[in-house]
Amino acid sequence: MSTAGIQGITENDIANYLANTPGFFERHAELLASIQLTSPHGQRAVSLQERQMEMLRDKIKGMEMKVMEMIRHGQENVAIADRLHRFTRAIMLTANAADLPQVLVTELMHQFMIPQAGIRVWGAAPAFSALGFAKPVSDDLKSFATSLMAPYCGPNTGFEAAQWMEDGKAMTSIALIPLRHGVTPTAFGMVVLGSPDPTRYAADMGTEFLMRIGEIASAGLSRLQAAG
């Protein structure tokens, strides 16, 4: 058989021809039954039709896994939204402003399974000056809080705020959330979250959710600020 007519033809040429000539297998239907391929699920030979079915099953399985992953993420998002709702509700239902910091810390730890948390508010009204959350903090910490345009997440390298937690030295990773009034740049407080897991609060994690926590906390704790 002469091969002069097919010299220089590549597999891509054949593939392009078959892709652009849908009537080829209609005119040569016997090829569909005679072509034998190796199954990806073993070394047995299968027909072209069976190979196509296996590819389709694999594709459907992949789509099913993606759907299940989407459902799982959706369920996780609903659970997080529910916890955030309960956290917000607890703050709104706290009638006594002096109780707000402790309610906030307790709810954060309970709703979001945070091992330890702490809070400080500076510039609070004189009526709250003797309470734990109003204890003095350094000017450096105040400046640091104001400089944070987003929560800090990373290793606990001896931050002053770690001392606000019951056992801050055991918390190897922390999140620092500044408290401020809306778009006002100056912070009036800070919330610290701690974990003994060094990966719980990593530098590369997203901070959008923590920012929402900070906004809700800031709105509630603004009741503690001195008038003026």
Side-chain angles (χ1 to χ4, degrees), residues 115-133:
Q116 291 190 31
I119 188 172
R120 287 291 186 276
V121 176
W122 43 89
F128 307 120
S129 60
L131 300 180
F133 66 83

Side-chain angles (χ1 to χ4, degrees), residues 44-216:
R44 66 187 183 89
V46 296
S47 67
L48 182 59
Q49 296 100 317
E50 188 174 352
R51 180 69 179 90
Q52 288 176 319
M53 291 298 296
E54 288 179 345
M55 292 175 63
L56 182 59
R57 282 194 292 268
D58 289 342
K59 184 176 181 180
I60 292 174
K61 184 177 180 180
M63 293 175 65
E64 289 175 343
M65 293 178 64
K66 289 182 179 179
V67 170
M68 292 302 296
E69 185 176 1
M70 290 174 62
I71 292 174
R72 180 175 60 81
H73 286 315
Q75 292 172 337
E76 290 175 352
N77 289 338
V78 169
I80 291 173
D82 189 45
R83 296 189 189 106
L84 187 61
H85 169 76
R86 291 195 294 267
F87 168 71
T88 305
R89 184 174 182 272
I91 293 175
M92 295 179 67
L93 290 177
T94 302
N96 185 2
D99 296 333
L100 277 170
Q102 186 57 50
V103 169
L104 186 144
V105 167
T106 301
E107 287 297 316
L108 278 175
M109 294 172 62
H110 173 65
Q111 298 296 344
F112 303 104
M113 295 172 285
I114 297 170
Q116 291 190 31
I119 188 172
R120 287 291 186 276
V121 176
W122 43 89
F128 307 120
S129 60
L131 300 180
F133 66 83
K135 289 181 179 179
V137 300
S138 69
D139 290 337
D140 286 342
L141 186 139
K142 293 179 182 179
S143 297
F144 174 65
T146 294
S147 72
L148 291 176
M149 293 299 100
Y152 164 87
C153 295
N156 178 13
T157 56
F159 286 99
E160 178 182 336
Q163 301 173 17
W164 307 343
M165 297 181 287
E166 183 177 349
D167 188 11
K169 292 182 179 180
M171 302 297 101
T172 58
S173 68
I174 62 174
L176 302 173
I177 308 173
L179 303 173
R180 48 173 52 95
H181 297 292
V183 296
T184 303
T186 304
F188 69 85
M190 178 181 282
V191 175
V192 56
L193 313 177
S195 173
D197 179 358
T199 65
R200 175 71 183 268
Y201 301 109
D204 59 351
M205 69 181 293
T207 58
E208 291 82 1
F209 180 72
L210 294 178
M211 290 177 67
R212 299 296 174 266
I213 291 290
E215 290 170 358
I216 295 170

